[in-house]
Structure formats: C-alpha cells, structure tokens
C-alpha cells in the first residue's frame, strides 16, 4: 500500500510538469455550479482521470477537471467536480484533491456546494454563507495515523471558516442586495436525502442547511492550515419543509438557475481576496 504522502508527491510533480502557475486561491465547485470556469483565463486544464491518484466523479452535474488560470489578477486552481463519500470513495480519496491544492501552494480554499435549506425565511435559490459546520458523516478524514507533514494530530476547529472571508462575502452580497443567509452547514453522508424527522433534528441542533459534501474538505484544509470559505446554494427546502418530494433534478435545476448569480458573486469575491 502506498502512503498518502507518496501519492501526493507523485500527483504534485505530475501537475507541476503540466503548469508553472502558482495558485493562491483554490476553488471547489459543487453540483451544477461549474459555470464559474467560464470566468477563468485557463492556462492548463487536466481531466481527473489523467491525474495520478485522482478519481473521476460518478455524479450527474459534476464534471471532473482541474483547471489552473487567472480570474483577473488572482491566480486560481479550480476543481470542477469533487468526490463524495457516498460514491464509495474512502475519506482519504475525498480529501486528496484538497491536499493536492495545498501542496501546490494555495493559501485559501473556497468551497461551494448545493444544500437543502431549513433556516427561517429560506427559499430555493438563496445563498448561504457557511459560518460553521456539524460533521454528521460518522467519520473524519483525519482518522488514522496523523501525517505530520500535513498538519497536527488535533487541529483546532474554532474558526474553521475564516472570519475575514465571511465578512468579505457578506459585504459583496449586501452590496448587490442578493438574498443570503449565514448559518451552520450539517454534513451528512447521503446518498439518501434526509427524512423530515432528521431535518427537524438538524434544526434543533442549530443547523440551517444540509448537504453531502464540504465538511471533509473543510476539515482537511484546516488541518493543512488553509483559510477556508464556504458558500452553499440552497437548491431546495430540506425534506418536510416543502410539499414537494426531493429529487436530484430539482437540485441541479435550481443550481442552473442560480448559476449566473453564483458565478458573478464568486468572481467578485475571489478577485478581491488579499
Ligand atoms: N439534503 C442533502 N443534500 C442536499 C440537499 C438536501 O436536501 N439538497 C442538495 N444537496
């Protein structure tokens, strides 16, 4: 069995052989939110299947590309698509791309996702700034021997989502009078959507949105000492909060409708990160 660090070294040297760009900001694009790449002056595009130790995504609405380039003057690395735990990937594989970006030198990781919302006044199509999370996946990507080259055994998670980045996101959303919320994202394993009773429980413990991603990457990124920002697209009201049953089509349809607003916001945010 090959160790994670050896795999990362192989992956990073492969990528370095394809591009000399030194990204400062890493971005992970969630379901149906891939259009942001149209705002990027792409300098290199690598398909996940061509990158050693990366796994192609198996979910509709997720492409699997790693792009390097610039958004105005900001150099970025973008993961267009991600691996989810529910696909059967190990947690090591779920966070492998995040660790790769960190070793390529990013300082900031911007995570995006689609989520079901259950905060007061939430509507499908709203955005939510993730202020904190609750890990309900039943597993933590840092379980197992600590890799000290990547970070400490017991990483602090007091400010898992960078306060300054939260304030910057909020300022932009307010300026454009975009509907948004701030709240706690509950990370679950999926792939089933929640039962109404589960959503009532998530509300009781302080959540406002629920989704099947983001938490593992945020944990790995905090371990690596990155500054993290996360933004949820509330694609649907969570189970029991609307009359409709949930479907992946509803999720991707709403994400598509919101994509332009989401993309413009993301662009302004990323360009202005110092
Ligand atoms: N639950 C979990 N994950 C999701 C949802 C949801 O309602 N919508 C989009 N991703």
């Amino acid at each position: 069995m090959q160790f994670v660090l050896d795999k990362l070294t192989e992956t990073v040297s492969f990528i370095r052989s394809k591009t000399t760009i030194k990204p400062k900001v890493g971005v992970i694009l969630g379901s149906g939110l891939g259009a942001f790449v149209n705002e990027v002056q792409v300098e290199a595009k690598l398909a996940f299947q061509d990158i050693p130790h990366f796994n192609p995504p198996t979910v509709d609405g997720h492409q699997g590309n790693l792009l390097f380039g610039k958004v105005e003057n900001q150099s970025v690395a973008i993961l267009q698509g991600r691996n989810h735990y529910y696909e059967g990937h190990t947690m090591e594989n779920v966070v492998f791309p995040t660790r790769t970006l960190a070793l390529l030198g990013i300082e900031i990781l911007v995570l995006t996702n689609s989520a079901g919302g259950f905060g007061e006044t939430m509507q499908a199509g709203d955005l939510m700034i993730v202020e904190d999370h609750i890990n309900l996946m039943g597993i933590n990507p840092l379980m197992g021997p600590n890799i000290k080259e990547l970070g400490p055994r017991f990483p602090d998670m007091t400010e898992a989502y960078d306060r300054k980045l939260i304030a910057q996101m909020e300022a932009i959303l307010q300026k454009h009078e975009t509907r948004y919320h701030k709240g706690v994202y509950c990370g679950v394993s999926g792939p089933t959507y929640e039962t109404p009773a589960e959503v009532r429980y998530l509300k009781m413990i302080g959540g406002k949105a629920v989704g099947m991603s983001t938490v593992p990457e945020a944990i790995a990124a905090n371990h690596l000492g990155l500054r993290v920002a996360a933004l949820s697209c509330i694609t649907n009201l969570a189970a029991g909060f609307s009359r409709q049953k949930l479907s992946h089509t509803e999720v991707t349809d709403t994400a598509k409708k919101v994509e332009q607003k989401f993309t413009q916001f993301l662009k302004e945010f990323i360009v202005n990160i110092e």
Side-chain angles (χ1 to χ4, degrees):
M1 197 188 78
Q2 212 179 357
F3 292 110
V4 177
L5 212 52
D6 296 334
K7 290 189 198 170
L8 283 166
T9 308
E10 249 174 56
T11 305
V12 167
S13 58
F14 170 83
I15 294 169
R16 288 224 195 282
S17 75
K18 303 286 178 195
T19 174
T20 55
I21 198 163
K22 292 268 180 300
K24 175 168 165 183
V25 180
V27 187
I28 302 185
L29 298 173
S31 313
L33 302 168
F36 176 68
V37 299
N38 301 329
E39 304 298 323
V40 184
Q41 265 179 278
V42 178
E43 295 186 17
K45 179 175 175 177
L46 307 171
F48 284 3
Q49 63 256 34
D50 297 333
I51 305 173
H53 310 298
F54 268 48
N55 300 286
T58 63
V59 194
D60 283 356
H62 280 263
Q63 285 160 294
N65 295 303
L66 170 56
L67 296 100
F68 294 90
K70 291 211 153 187
V71 186
E72 294 183 9
N73 285 325
Q74 193 76 272
S75 51
V76 295
I78 299 175
L79 290 159
Q80 192 184 24
R82 53 152 63 91
N83 296 139
H84 300 83
Y85 186 49
Y86 64 74
E87 290 174 84
H89 297 295
T90 59
M91 270 294 173
E92 181 191 308
N93 285 345
V94 171
V95 300
F96 192 86
T98 298
R99 288 173 162 167
T100 301
L101 295 192
L103 296 187
L104 286 166
I106 65 160
E107 295 163 30
I108 291 136
L109 181 65
V110 180
L111 296 163
T112 69
N113 61 58
S114 291
F118 49 89
E120 302 298 331
T121 75
M122 267 186 184
Q123 294 172 10
D126 287 354
L127 302 181
M128 187 185 92
I129 297 173
V130 178
E131 284 187 302
D132 202 348
H133 75 223
I134 301 176
N135 179 10
L136 294 162
M137 291 187 158
I139 189 169
N140 187 301
L142 307 184
M143 279 163 72
N146 185 48
I147 306 165
K148 62 179 186 313
E149 291 82 355
L150 300 182
R153 172 75 290 188
F154 300 110
D156 176 61
M157 293 290 283
T158 312
E159 287 191 12
Y161 299 87
D162 186 273
R163 295 283 161 251
K164 208 166 146 198
L165 296 174
I166 289 175
Q168 284 170 4
M169 287 197 277
E170 197 161 12
I172 296 168
L173 292 166
Q174 282 175 353
K175 186 173 93 186
H176 294 290
E177 299 182 359
T178 305
R179 280 185 60 89
Y180 77 97
H181 308 265
K182 278 198 297 188
V184 173
Y185 174 94
C186 300
V188 296
S189 68
T192 51
Y193 291 115
E194 300 66 42
T195 63
E198 285 166 344
V199 180
R200 289 196 298 275
Y201 162 75
L202 298 179
K203 189 163 178 151
M204 213 180 331
I205 63 172
K208 276 196 189 167
V210 56
M212 305 172 195
S213 67
T214 302
V215 165
E217 293 111 320
I219 292 173
N222 272 273
H223 184 228
L224 289 151
L226 302 178
R227 296 170 63 204
V228 178
L231 187 72
S232 295
C233 169
I234 304 299
T235 49
N236 57 283
L237 293 182
F241 279 67
S242 85
R243 258 166 259 140
Q244 268 169 280
K245 287 194 176 184
L246 305 189
S247 71
H248 184 59
T249 315
E250 180 192 358
V251 169
T252 47
D253 283 355
T254 311
K256 271 274 157 288
K257 280 188 206 139
V258 177
E259 204 163 27
Q260 211 41 41
K261 169 171 83 173
F262 199 85
T263 296
Q264 286 315 311
F265 163 77
L266 214 50
K267 182 176 180 186
E268 188 168 346
F269 173 53
I270 286 167
V271 164
N272 290 298
I273 293 176
E274 282 164 15

